[in-house]
Amino acid sequence: MQDQPALCFDKVRYVGDAVAAVAAVDTKTAERALALIRVEYEPLPVVSDPQQALVAGAEPVHASGNLQCSFEFTRGDASAAFAKAAHIVEAVYETPSQMHGFMETEGGYAFVGTDGTLNVFAGGQHGRRDRMQLSRILGMPQEQIRVVTSPTGGAFGGKDELTVQPALALLALKTRRAVRLHLDRAESVIAGTKRNAMRIHMRTASDAEGRLVAQQVDVIADAGAYASLGPGVLETALEHACGPYVVPNVLSSGRLAYTNNGVCGAFRGFGANQMAFAVECQLDRLAEAAGIDIIEIRRRNLREPGTRGHLGQQVAPSERLAEMLQAAAADPIWAKPRGPSFDGYETIGVGMAMNYQGNGLGTLPPDPAGGALRLAADGMIEALYGLDELGQGLLTSVKAAVAGALGCGRDDVRPVTGDTAATPESGSSTASRGTHVVWRVAAVAAPAFARDLLAAAGQLLCREAGTLALAPGGIVERHSNSGSLLMSFAELAEALPPDRLPAAAVSFEFPKSDYLEGNARLIFAFGATLARVAVSRITGQVRVLDLHQHTAAGPMLDPAAYLGQIEGGGVQGLGFTLTEDAAMRDGRYLAGNLDFYMLPGIADTPESLATFALEDLDEDDPFGPRGAGELGIGAVTPAIVNAIADAIGDWPERIPVDPEWVLDALRRSAA
């Protein structure tokens, strides 16, 4: 959605909008130059409430109005089902804007090469899309622009769109000098992308046995000043509007409203985790209303493997929802102490929630993927991917996947990533799609590449290629147990002409479903999250004592990378639930830096973090490992909130959970 200027010329819509850019010989001179710029502003009414933004007569953020987009989905007759239902629960759930909190703020450098190529080195999540957008902005052919996006010091979705690249590129072209621009943390707070705040009105009905019969959902999401990836976030939230449960009658709608509340867009979970908060709390509330155990009500409503998805789309095999629910029921967390603490100052509760996370961009957006393997002149096996190392363990996973597919050692593999001039199109490092791309490129390209390596080695060794095999370090005799190398990869590369070094490339579209009336995913990952919390009866504050995550995302490429994703997502979800809120007043952030924005620190992490992985796939499953990037955050919020409800008897409907609300709930329960 091309609604955001690179530099504003007639109107600014949020406090971080860029109006001018200055390059100088040093930072001090640049700051002095900026101070000399005078901009005349005509004050306009601030649009801060997404609901009020959609009311007739509201100040328009854009000339087209404040409704950026809307979506609707219906199935069956929800009105009739509600009329006949035995139990109905209704609530409005509110989720905040959230900062990504990456360690490296938005920044990079740019220069024009001797051949006239514009080189832009800046943290990002899809170099080719960044290049395409820069081409539009600058009026330059894409072939004259090189974008390098790896490595990036954290992103979580916050660098999925352009940040400083337009100003960098313009200044480099104007000055014909190398230009560096890096936002400090206060600038990042003002200008950076945040999570879309949402207001989710949900009405859920069941029969007397607790089987779901109807679900009505209405979502208002805050786009901020520009669309960014907000339409996709809202659409994904609505795709997960019933979670992993079967609901025959559905009426769902969503609206995305322009406001002056910064810029909102991609953030780990991408709308699915906000919706899971509402869905999973509704299940616990229905269980209470129907007098049914929270495990049993989920068991009665889980979707069956092999059936169509929520929107009617085909869904990939290897669904493991029943196994995740069974693991949750058997988790030792239930046997730990609950109720009043020994000193009486805290009340302890346990909660759970199911996790159901789509992978990939969906059926409608282009979702290209691919990669290549080649033997480099120094004997390293280079694995070329357009994906980005963001701290998620991409390089380690590439080494593991390629080594596993070829039979060589991890140390034989050199990943080359995130450079539009050196790597093929692999698509974006988003949407839990990277794991599949890494695995599939290795699996598909490896046989041909290995065949060419062995053929070349066979000619040099005067042996049949079929008698040879790849091993850590080089070429060995296939049926020998000696472990002795007949030829190292370096020796093979040195013996071959540069134009005969073996290589294999593959390109494909990320797997898509068959539903085209809306955006739907084919591949899903599964999980169940359990939380044990202590609620202070004096301060209302909540401590997470234990966080257990059961996951099913197929075989792990690398256990350490997988664990980092699940645990990191879990702590990020804890902050989203209990402490983080990028609140604004009159169009300005209340927190100017991280000292007043409560990211969870090491003292806030659970005393016990446990991650369990079910790695099996169905025999006929061609899709390999699923992505775990968003699986760790998906069900953390509802698990914690359901645990709070277990402790105090009431569900917080707004996050981050307000200690004052908790104290009020405790007073109500004591009255």
Side-chain angles (χ1 to χ4, degrees):
M1 177 62 63
Q2 298 175 54
D3 63 352
Q4 183 174 3
L7 292 173
C8 294
F9 53 92
D10 62 345
K11 183 177 183 176
V12 293
R13 295 176 173 86
Y14 82 110
V15 68
D17 255 334
V19 177
V22 167
V25 293
D26 55 42
T27 301
K28 183 177 290 187
T29 306
E31 290 175 347
R32 287 176 60 197
L34 280 176
L36 295 174
I37 296 174
R38 296 290 180 265
V39 183
E40 292 186 5
Y41 294 105
E42 175 191 343
L44 297 173
V46 175
V47 180
S48 58
D49 186 316
Q51 285 183 276
Q52 293 301 313
L54 299 177
V55 173
E59 175 72 21
V61 178
H62 289 265
S64 59
N66 293 338
L67 179 62
Q68 202 293 317
C69 65
S70 62
F71 302 100
E72 290 187 358
F73 177 77
T74 59
R75 178 172 58 239
D77 188 341
S79 297
F82 276 114
K84 298 178 182 178
H87 305 286
I88 298 175
V89 295
E90 184 173 2
V92 176
Y93 299 91
E94 296 182 64
T95 65
S97 178
Q98 182 185 18
M99 296 186 197
H100 296 80
F102 29 67
M103 294 184 71
E104 179 193 40
T105 56
E106 301 87 342
Y109 65 96
F111 63 93
V112 179
T114 55
D115 62 352
T117 298
L118 173 65
N119 295 265
V120 180
F121 287 65
Q125 296 182 242
H126 190 182
R128 273 179 165 73
R129 187 173 60 203
D130 291 353
R131 184 180 68 174
M132 178 268 290
Q133 294 195 77
L134 286 173
S135 172
R136 289 175 178 169
I137 292 167
L138 303 171
M140 290 178 62
Q142 293 189 45
E143 295 73 23
Q144 294 181 18
I145 303 172
R146 176 193 180 198
V147 175
V148 178
T149 43
S150 279
T152 292
F156 313 112
K159 297 170 186 171
D160 202 9
E161 281 273 30
L162 295 180
T163 56
V164 299
Q165 295 93 328
L168 272 175
L170 286 164
L171 291 171
L173 289 170
K174 293 283 186 180
T175 63
R176 294 285 158 168
R177 300 274 298 276
V179 179
R180 177 180 177 270
L181 172 61
H182 214 111
L183 303 187
D184 61 31
R185 184 63 66 179
E187 292 168 334
S188 178
V189 168
I190 291 172
T193 304
K194 310 295 187 293
R195 187 187 292 278
N196 298 89
M198 289 188 181
R199 181 182 185 275
I200 304 170
H201 185 180
M202 186 171 289
R203 191 168 177 237
T204 311
S206 75
D207 62 18
E209 286 74 42
R211 289 182 174 84
L212 299 175
V213 295
Q215 177 95 305
Q216 183 175 357
V217 183
D218 180 62
V219 181
I220 296 179
D222 192 345
Y226 302 104
S228 183
L229 292 168
V233 172
L234 177 58
E235 197 168 37
T236 301
L238 291 172
E239 183 191 355
H240 292 76
C242 292
Y245 307 109
V246 178
V247 185
N249 303 286
V250 178
L251 178 61
S252 62
S253 61
R255 291 168 289 169
L256 183 66
Y258 282 127
T259 68
N260 299 124
N261 295 334
V263 173
C264 304
F267 198 132
R268 190 185 221 159
F270 208 72
N273 61 314
Q274 289 103 306
M275 190 60 72
F277 167 40
V279 170
E280 292 295 323
C281 288
Q282 291 287 93
L283 262 289
D284 267 34
R285 291 173 127 166
L286 270 178
E288 182 182 67
I292 301 172
D293 178 76
I294 59 172
I295 298 288
E296 179 59 24
I297 196 170
R298 287 171 168 82
R299 186 190 66 77
R300 293 180 186 183
N301 291 288
L302 278 184
R303 55 172 278 108
E304 290 289 332
T307 58
R308 289 265 164 177
H310 172 68
L311 298 177
Q313 82 273 26
Q314 177 190 1
V315 175
S318 301
E319 297 193 60
R320 296 293 184 265
L321 288 167
E323 291 84 349
M324 293 296 95
L325 185 61
Q326 183 179 0
D331 193 288
I333 202 170
W334 301 107
K336 292 192 173 186
R338 294 159 74 180
S341 62
F342 178 76
D343 58 15
Y345 294 144
E346 293 181 314
T347 302
I348 298 172
V350 175
M352 69 150 294
M354 297 298 291
N355 204 347
Y356 186 63
Q357 182 72 50
N359 287 193
L361 303 185
T363 47
L364 298 183
D367 200 356
L373 302 176
R374 71 183 180 199
L375 183 64
D378 63 355
M380 293 297 293
I381 295 171
E382 290 189 328
L384 286 74
Y385 289 86
L387 298 170
D388 295 297
E389 175 57 77
L390 313 166
Q392 81 278 37
L394 172 69
L395 302 184
T396 305
S397 297
V398 167
K399 287 185 173 187
V402 173
L406 290 175
C408 65
R410 289 192 182 194
D411 290 340
D412 299 320
V413 181
R414 179 166 61 216
V416 180
T417 63
D419 184 342
T420 60
T423 59
E425 171 69 283
S426 297
S428 62
S429 299
T430 61
S432 300
R433 63 185 299 284
T435 299
H436 174 85
V437 175
V438 168
W439 166 81
R440 184 166 169 183
V441 168
V444 175
F449 180 62
R451 185 173 60 248
D452 291 347
L453 284 174
L454 295 175
Q459 287 184 342
L460 294 170
L461 295 168
C462 299
R463 291 171 176 259
E464 290 291 329
T467 67
L468 304 176
L470 302 182
I475 313 299
V476 298
E477 189 174 354
R478 180 172 295 276
H479 298 298
S480 172
N481 293 322
S482 70
S484 300
L485 292 180
L486 300 175
M487 175 180 285
S488 70
F489 291 125
E491 291 169 336
L492 176 60
E494 185 178 7
L496 293 173
D499 60 349
R500 288 188 54 203
L501 291 171
V506 59
S507 62
F508 53 92
E509 189 85 355
F510 192 91
K512 292 177 176 286
S513 192
D514 54 358
Y515 181 82
L516 298 175
E517 295 179 30
N519 202 35
R521 272 74 179 176
L522 170 70
I523 299 175
F524 287 83
F526 313 93
T529 300
L530 299 98
R532 180 170 167 263
V533 305
V535 181
S536 171
R537 305 184 67 86
I538 299 172
T539 67
Q541 290 184 309
V542 178
R543 294 188 300 127
V544 180
L545 304 175
D546 306 281
L547 187 65
H548 293 185
Q549 300 230 52
H550 297 269
T551 63
M556 291 182 284
L557 294 183
D558 181 80
Y562 189 95
L563 187 65
Q565 289 294 287
I566 302 302
E567 290 189 347
V571 175
Q572 200 166 45
L574 184 153
F576 181 55
T577 310
L578 297 180
T579 61
E580 295 186 52
D581 185 2
M584 304 189 81
R585 181 183 298 148
D586 298 327
R588 296 185 179 275
Y589 288 102
L590 297 182
N593 211 318
L594 295 185
D595 50 357
F596 285 98
Y597 182 80
M598 296 296 104
L599 285 169
I602 191 66
D604 302 303
T605 58
E607 296 175 5
S608 166
L609 277 172
T611 300
F612 308 89
L614 179 62
E615 297 187 76
D616 71 322
L617 296 173
D618 294 350
E619 289 186 11
D620 59 346
D621 188 333
F623 300 114
R626 277 52 167 164
E630 294 165 293
L631 197 58
I633 199 172
V636 171
T637 296
I640 292 174
V641 170
N642 283 336
I644 294 171
D646 181 56
I648 67 174
D650 202 355
W651 281 264
E653 295 170 1
R654 183 174 186 171
I655 58 171
V657 177
D658 184 357
E660 291 289 344
W661 180 93
V662 173
L663 291 176
D664 289 342
L666 287 168
R667 293 187 192 102
R668 288 193 298 269
S669 65

